[in-house]
């Protein structure tokens, strides 16, 4: 028993000696490894100054980590530079291309829309200003009164379009002249401006007056002159001692090239008393305000009459039927 114990103790002792020797032997090549690694690291010194500095500083501490750091940092730095360069380069041309493409079709679309725009049409001529005119005799007595707004539409030739002008009644623009009619003679009214001259002639026949003749002359801006006249008119007729009035707009064809429009017309070319218009004879256009109610009343009266006749006839037929039974 004592011998077994001694043998076991001896075996354990030998095993410990062998294990210790193995440990010592394995640590010797590990210690020699740094010298080889150092020589390997020292070799690239002339190549890159940064790698040599990092390797020399970190070599004594952990050779393995030193190599890892060198390998990790080297690709990291160029990777970020490459990424930045690649990102910025396509960004700039991309925006330029977008702006250029957007502006080009916009400009073309605007031009295409503007091109077919029709030319502006001329605005309509407004109604003329109403003027008050009078003609005096030699003893400074008014013998002719007129109140009206005058508008002239004319054309220079058959194929030309009509032009429209208004007569300005302002005293500093239009000059008023005329003649007084007495003893069967005619009376006249002449309105003259730098642009328009109109001559109205009234005649007295059987105690009734009328507009007998009209002459018009227009000086155009291009130097041409328009002239038109009609000496066989029968307009604005009323009894001597009264006036002719037509408040509504009236249009008269004087010739095939001249039409005049009157607004708020009232004239009295003969027998003016107290410098004012006498009783007015209204035109047919103004009489329509009374004519319409008369027509409506007559139509209603006729309808009532028809209803009454139909009722009487119906009652008589019913009465005859009763007698037969």
């Amino acid at each position: 028993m004592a011998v077994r114990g001694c043998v076991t103790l001896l075996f354990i002792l030998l095993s410990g000696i062998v294990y210790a020797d193995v440990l010592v032997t394995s640590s010797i090549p590990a210690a020699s490894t740094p010298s080889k690694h150092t020589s390997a690291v020292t070799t690239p010194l002339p190549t890159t100054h940064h790698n040599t500095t990092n390797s020399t500083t970190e070599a004594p501490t952990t050779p393995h980590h030193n190599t890892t750091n060198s390998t990790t940092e080297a690709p990291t730095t160029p990777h970020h530079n490459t990424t930045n360069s690649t990102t910025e380069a396509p960004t700039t041309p991309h925006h330029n291309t977008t702006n250029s493409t957007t502006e080009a079709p916009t400009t073309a679309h605007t031009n295409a829309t503007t091109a077919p725009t029709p030319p502006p049409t001329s605005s309509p001529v407004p109604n003329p200003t109403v003027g008050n005119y009078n003609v005096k005799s030699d003893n400074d007595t008014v013998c002719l009164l007129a109140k009206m707004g005058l508008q002239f539409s004319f054309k220079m030739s058959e194929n030309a379009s009509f032009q429209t002008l208004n007569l300005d009644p302002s005293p500093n623009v239009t000059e008023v002249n005329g003649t007084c009619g007495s003893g069967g003679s005619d009376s006249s009214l002449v309105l003259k401006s730098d642009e328009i001259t109109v001559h109205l002639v009234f005649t007295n026949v059987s105690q009734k007056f009328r507009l007998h003749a009209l002459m018009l002359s227009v000086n155009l801006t291009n130097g041409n002159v328009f002239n038109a006249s009609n000496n066989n008119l029968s307009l604005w007729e009323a009894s001597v001692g009264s006036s002719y009035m037509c408040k509504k707009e009236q249009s008269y064809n004087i010739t095939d090239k001249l039409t005049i429009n009157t607004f708020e017309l009232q004239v009295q070319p003969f027998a003016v008393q107290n410098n004012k218009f006498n009783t007015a004879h209204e035109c047919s256009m103004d009489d329509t305000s009374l004519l319409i109610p008369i027509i409506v009343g007559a139509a209603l009266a006729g309808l009532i009459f028809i209803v009454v006749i139909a009722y009487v006839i119906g009652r008589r037929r019913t009465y005859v039927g009763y007698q037969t039974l």
Side-chain angles (χ1 to χ4, degrees), residues 132-200:
N132 292 283
Y133 314 101
N134 64 76
V135 177
K136 295 181 179 181
S137 61
D138 295 336
N139 58 3
D140 204 26
T141 302
V142 175
C143 63
L144 183 150
L145 287 174
K147 176 186 176 182
M148 56 187 164
L150 290 176
Q151 185 178 81
F152 306 97
S153 297
F154 60 94
K155 59 181 180 179
M156 298 297 295
S157 61
E158 293 293 337
N159 298 327
S161 58
F162 277 93
Q163 305 179 50
T164 303
L165 292 176
N166 292 337
L167 178 67
D168 187 354
S170 303
N172 58 344
V173 175
T174 300
E175 179 182 353
V176 181
N177 291 308
T179 59
C180 296
S182 61
S185 62
D186 297 338
S187 63
S188 64
L189 175 65
V190 180
L191 306 175
K192 183 178 182 181
S193 66
D194 293 338
E195 187 178 16
I196 299 173
T197 300
V198 56
H199 188 184
L200 306 173

Side-chain angles (χ1 to χ4, degrees), residues 198-200 211-216 228-230 233 254 258 260:
V198 56
H199 188 184
L200 306 173
L211 178 64
H212 172 64
L214 185 148
M215 286 79 73
L216 176 69
S229 64
N230 189 333
L233 298 175
I254 306 303
L258 173 62
I260 68 168

